[in-house]
């Protein structure tokens, strides 16, 4: 599973960010709090990741800290 991503912010959506990690763009869904804490496009960022695998999709959720991710898991 993916537990952490470190890369460059490529673009933003309403509730997601594309994080470019060495040429691979990961779409990471984030809360408005996390989105507000992210740097601008082209800047470096690191996110703790919770990976959810479903029959029809794989979804990544991003958090600024491990503690926030642990609360999400509860």
């Amino acid at each position: 599973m993916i537990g952490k991503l470190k890369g460059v912010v490529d673009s933003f959506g309403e509730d997601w960010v594309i994080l470019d990690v060495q040429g691979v763009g990961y779409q990471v869904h984030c809360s408005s709090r996390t989105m507000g804490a992210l740097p601008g496009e082209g800047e470096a960022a690191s996110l703790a990741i919770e990976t959810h695998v479903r029959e029809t999709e794989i979804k990544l959720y991003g958090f600024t800290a491990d503690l926030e991710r642990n609360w999400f898991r509860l």
Side-chain angles (χ1 to χ4, degrees):
M1 293 298 176
I2 298 171
K4 178 180 177 180
L5 290 173
K6 189 175 187 178
V8 176
V9 175
D10 182 78
S11 58
F12 293 97
E14 186 175 323
D15 66 344
W16 53 265
V17 60
I18 300 290
L19 194 62
D20 184 315
V21 180
Q22 297 183 356
V24 178
Y26 292 90
Q27 182 178 27
V28 182
H29 296 271
C30 302
S31 69
S32 58
R33 179 178 176 209
T34 299
M35 293 289 287
L38 289 171
E41 290 180 9
E43 296 185 45
S46 179
L47 291 170
I49 300 294
E50 179 69 17
T51 306
H52 281 207
V53 178
R54 305 273 189 251
E55 188 174 311
T56 59
E57 68 181 354
I58 298 173
K59 202 166 195 178
L60 304 177
Y61 295 93
F63 307 93
T64 55
D66 289 335
L67 180 62
E68 186 180 7
R69 179 180 57 190
N70 292 341
W71 277 105
F72 177 80
R73 288 175 175 168
L74 291 175

